[in-house]
Amino acid sequence: MFVRFQADDIVPNQQETVTRAMFSNNVGNLITFFTSSAQTAAQKTYYYELFNSASRSPTAEAQFSIAFGHRFGSGSAGEGGQVDDTPSRAIYSQYRQLCLDAGIKSFTNDGANSNFIYVFNFNRSRLKDGIDEGNIEINLHHLSGSQYIGGPGTNSAHTGSNVKLGNARALRLVDDSKIASATMTSAGEVYNIVSGSIENGVFSSASPKYYGKIFPRLGVVVLDGRKLDLSASFGTVTGSNVAGDNAFKLYKSISGSAAKLTDLSGDKLGLSARSKEYVKSTHYFVRARASQFNFSNNPTFVTGSDGDLAISDFINDPKVYLTTIGLYDDNKNLLAVAKSSKPIQKSFRKETLIEVKLDY
Amino acid sequence: MGYLNNSSIVIDAVLTKKGRELLARGQNEFRVTYFALADDEIDYTLWNSDHPLGSAYYGRTIENLPITEAVTDETQVMKYPLVTLPKNTIRIPVVSVAQNSYTFKSPTDRITITPNTVNFPSGNIALGYTAVLSDSDVATFVSVSPSPAQASGQDTASSVPLAISDLESSQTVTVSGTSFVLSGKFSTIRSKKSTLTIIGNETGGRVTIELTVNRLTQTNSSAANITV
């Protein structure tokens, strides 16, 4: 009844990379974004957690978080009124610790320091083992920064209800993995974020326009705030000890793009991404030779209490239908079970080879 | 011209509760070394030797049966194993035991189970039987007689159950041998039930014994010199 696997029947530790749409319900292009009513005002000075539907809805699931960081603490207010303990400084330091090699003080983009950054941080349950590089597209609607600051307002006041959608234009960003190889750091592979789209590739691939970095293994995208000010009119508040609520600008921009803008084919310009998962598996080759497994202990296979074959056709020519494969250890503990999609006939004239895949 | 079937079929396996337990213990105990096949959910009375379209259609209804997904309770799958027997076999070996249910009435009670195989000369004598206790909270193996193959080292299946500490609860316990002695695990709160499944290691075939452990009371504990 139990047949021992031969050494070459077991192929261990095979790895398969499985990619999926990043967001809940197999959504690859997220076009609805909701902040969380459960977050406190203090938490929102650090980050916003974004959901796919109203956060109190039973179907709502957290998708990713956004945050704003400033190397020197500007653009947010500290509780003690000092720039050293502001949330923006804490966020910048946090991502520096996560993403950069020890001793490096600042994010860089296109050779210059990024002293203030906007961050996407994808939720672990969405991310699996990482972002599938080459398949992420961030669309940012232009904001009202330059009109407001150049007109009636000041930089410090470009926050709250003063932040509006600007010209109906999108800044479309992708990673440069299609045209460049990764830089390896202690955070794994790092690619640049450049202007372009998944559909049309990197814009001006001979001289790309750089906007930040993506850290696929961490599920983090860091955008250079200075470049967003220039190209998407973010009007980032950079005053010292001013509650700028800059992270909300990123929310305003991505949600505005998804709601208002489409590409040439009419698709909404939301946030597109795929996750990547490394699935480890062992393959077991189950071989039922012609002379093996041709009788059954199934109660319908026999008749009466003596175990007589119930079907006269099966005398000297038994046929059985296997449906289930059990994998056992030496002590006959049943460790795993596999079932075929349909009954497989087995007889003295048939051999069967079944590959059983066990994922970990 | 149609396409031929591929020579191999790939199907996904799921871990049983026992498989997960052994993985979670983290002591390198998860090692698949054997396989067995079964035809759970097949009803051979659907074989129709009178099918009007001829012999190719005798098993048509069985072959078209949609198969249910695997369940992870190791006591609920592999119920009817396929076995290897000589081609001219006309009777399937049957595993039997003296009684199909037993009640532990006091802590000193023991049940000795010595399975027997009929219809097959020397069936399961060499490799013995596998006994699967479905709930370690209900009973425990006191002793197991190893099979000749175990005694000689040809079969590495253990006749000593995997040690279950007091911190672990409600697990299946599997052991191999030719004869099994069990005692009940008593509780002052309620009586408990479990099953012991005996499977022939060579001929397949199984028999299930219902085990009941009565609640520990002043009466049944006094005989065992236990104070409740």
Side-chain angles (χ1 to χ4, degrees):
Chain A
M1 177 189 148
F2 298 102
V3 173
R4 182 176 274 279
F5 282 109
Q6 303 302 305
D8 54 358
D9 288 339
I10 301 177
V11 183
N13 293 329
Q14 300 301 296
Q15 179 173 293
E16 185 181 356
T17 304
V18 177
T19 60
R20 296 187 185 90
M22 175 76 82
F23 306 108
S24 297
N25 305 319
N26 206 28
V27 170
N29 181 24
L30 191 64
I31 56 173
T32 55
F33 304 87
F34 292 83
T35 56
S36 169
S37 55
Q39 272 192 290
T40 64
Q43 285 176 319
K44 287 176 180 174
T45 63
Y46 287 83
Y47 73 103
Y48 285 88
E49 187 164 40
L50 299 187
F51 289 70
N52 55 344
S53 57
S55 64
R56 289 190 186 279
S57 160
T59 59
E61 291 184 308
Q63 305 297 307
F64 62 96
S65 298
I66 53 175
F68 170 79
H70 195 291
R71 183 180 172 187
F72 305 111
S74 299
S76 64
E79 289 181 11
Q82 295 180 358
V83 77
D84 283 349
D85 63 358
T86 61
S88 67
R89 186 182 177 114
I91 290 291
Y92 195 95
S93 302
Q94 179 182 38
Y95 284 97
R96 180 172 59 202
Q97 294 291 95
L98 285 171
C99 301
L100 302 183
D101 290 338
I104 298 179
K105 301 288 186 193
S106 175
F107 286 93
T108 57
N109 178 48
D110 200 12
N113 284 348
S114 303
N115 286 333
F116 56 102
I117 57 174
Y118 288 87
V119 180
F120 288 84
N121 188 342
F122 292 92
N123 277 42
R124 164 68 189 86
S125 52
R126 307 280 87 76
L127 181 67
K128 311 297 182 192
D129 288 331
I131 299 170
D132 183 24
E133 62 269 17
N135 284 288
I136 180 168
E137 179 177 324
I138 299 167
N139 290 296
L140 301 175
H141 197 296
H142 283 221
L143 297 182
S144 58
S146 55
Q147 293 113 305
Y148 180 78
I149 297 165
T154 62
N155 174 273
S156 296
H158 188 232
T159 184
S161 60
N162 292 329
V163 178
K164 295 183 169 62
L165 294 179
N167 297 329
R169 293 176 58 194
L171 174 61
R172 306 182 68 180
L173 304 174
V174 294
D175 67 65
D176 68 349
S177 62
K178 296 271 172 64
I179 62 165
S181 53
T183 303
M184 292 305 296
T185 72
S186 59
E189 302 86 353
V190 182
Y191 295 94
N192 293 300
I193 294 289
V194 294
S195 62
S197 64
I198 294 174
E199 204 167 359
N200 298 317
V202 174
F203 174 72
S204 182
S205 59
S207 55
K209 312 297 181 200
Y210 295 99
Y211 286 87
K213 308 278 188 196
I214 180 171
F215 302 84
R217 293 195 197 191
L218 298 174
V220 168
V221 175
V222 175
L223 298 178
D224 185 349
R226 183 176 49 89
K227 294 299 293 276
L228 299 190
D229 283 356
L230 289 171
S231 300
S233 192
F234 264 41
T236 303
V237 173
T238 53
S240 179
N241 210 17
V242 176
D245 196 19
N246 286 314
F248 193 78
K249 295 184 174 77
L250 190 53
Y251 165 73
K252 187 87 176 173
S253 178
I254 55 175
S255 59
S257 172
K260 306 278 187 186
L261 304 175
T262 60
D263 65 9
L264 293 176
S265 58
D267 296 328
K268 291 187 173 183
L269 294 181
L271 176 59
S272 298
R274 287 199 324 205
S275 66
K276 186 164 60 174
E277 185 175 19
Y278 302 112
V279 177
K280 303 275 187 184
S281 59
T282 295
H283 297 242
Y284 300 90
F285 289 90
V286 172
R287 301 167 201 274
R289 302 193 184 284
S291 62
Q292 295 176 316
F293 299 110
N294 293 320
F295 292 88
S296 173
N297 282 282
N298 190 307
T300 62
F301 196 77
V302 297
T303 184
S305 57
D306 292 336
D308 291 330
L309 295 184
I311 299 164
S312 58
D313 290 355
F314 290 177
I315 295 172
N316 288 320
D317 187 18
K319 296 177 183 64
V320 293
Y321 288 90
L322 74 92
T323 61
T324 314
I325 299 160
L327 303 181
Y328 294 83
D329 65 8
D330 275 346
N331 291 329
K332 311 299 187 301
N333 284 307
L334 179 55
L335 303 180
V337 185
K339 293 191 80 170
S340 59
S341 59
K342 63 176 188 176
I344 301 168
Q345 194 191 71
K346 178 73 184 70
S347 73
F348 274 95
R349 293 190 297 276
K350 288 185 178 174
E351 288 208 346
T352 302
L353 172 61
I354 300 169
E355 184 181 352
V356 177
K357 182 165 159 271
L358 184 59
D359 294 338
Y360 297 95
Chain B
M1 181 185 294
Y3 291 101
L4 294 174
N5 284 337
N6 286 337
S7 58
S8 76
I9 305 158
V10 183
I11 55 178
D12 289 327
V14 294
L15 293 175
T16 61
K17 285 191 302 179
K18 193 71 196 176
R20 291 201 303 266
E21 278 169 21
L22 293 181
L23 269 181
R25 286 166 71 111
Q27 295 177 19
N28 205 21
E29 295 165 314
F30 187 94
R31 284 187 189 162
V32 173
T33 50
Y34 286 93
F35 72 88
L37 307 177
D39 59 3
D40 296 358
E41 75 194 281
I42 295 295
D43 180 355
Y44 287 97
T45 63
L46 297 170
W47 180 267
N48 181 9
S49 306
D50 300 322
H51 198 289
L53 297 180
S55 56
Y57 291 81
Y58 289 177
R60 182 79 159 181
T61 309
I62 296 174
E63 287 153 16
N64 288 338
L65 184 73
I67 301 299
T68 59
E69 289 182 320
V71 295
T72 57
D73 185 335
E74 59 273 9
T75 65
Q76 299 304 312
V77 286
M78 301 299 292
K79 284 185 171 179
Y80 308 125
L82 302 181
V83 288
T84 300
L85 296 170
K87 192 173 182 180
N88 58 0
T89 299
I90 57 170
R91 282 184 172 171
I92 300 300
V94 175
V95 173
S96 65
V97 292
Q99 52 192 125
N100 289 319
S101 65
Y102 185 80
T103 300
F104 295 97
K105 293 173 181 162
S106 90
T108 55
D109 279 0
R110 299 281 186 275
I111 177 175
T112 301
I113 297 164
T114 307
N116 182 34
T117 303
V118 296
N119 293 341
F120 199 74
S122 69
N124 298 313
I125 285 181
L127 293 178
Y129 300 85
T130 296
V132 182
L133 175 64
S134 65
D135 188 346
S136 60
D137 284 355
V138 174
T140 186
F141 287 98
V142 176
S143 66
V144 175
S145 304
S147 68
Q150 287 172 288
S152 67
Q154 287 177 296
D155 182 5
T156 54
S158 176
S159 59
V160 179
L162 191 70
I164 296 175
S165 76
D166 291 342
L167 299 176
E168 299 175 83
S169 65
S170 192
Q171 298 186 33
T172 57
V173 181
T174 304
V175 69
S176 283
T178 56
S179 179
F180 311 90
V181 181
L182 290 99
S183 67
K185 285 186 175 177
F186 281 78
S187 161
T188 55
I189 300 170
R190 59 183 172 83
S191 62
K192 298 180 288 187
K193 285 180 182 288
S194 181
T195 56
L196 180 73
T197 304
I198 307 284
I199 304 164
N201 285 340
E202 297 165 53
T203 66
R206 59 195 264 158
V207 61
T208 300
I209 302 162
E210 182 183 319
L211 301 176
T212 304
V213 179
N214 283 348
R215 188 171 74 87
L216 191 64
T217 63
Q218 200 71 47
T219 310
N220 64 14
S221 61
S222 59
N225 208 18
I226 294 172
T227 304
V228 178

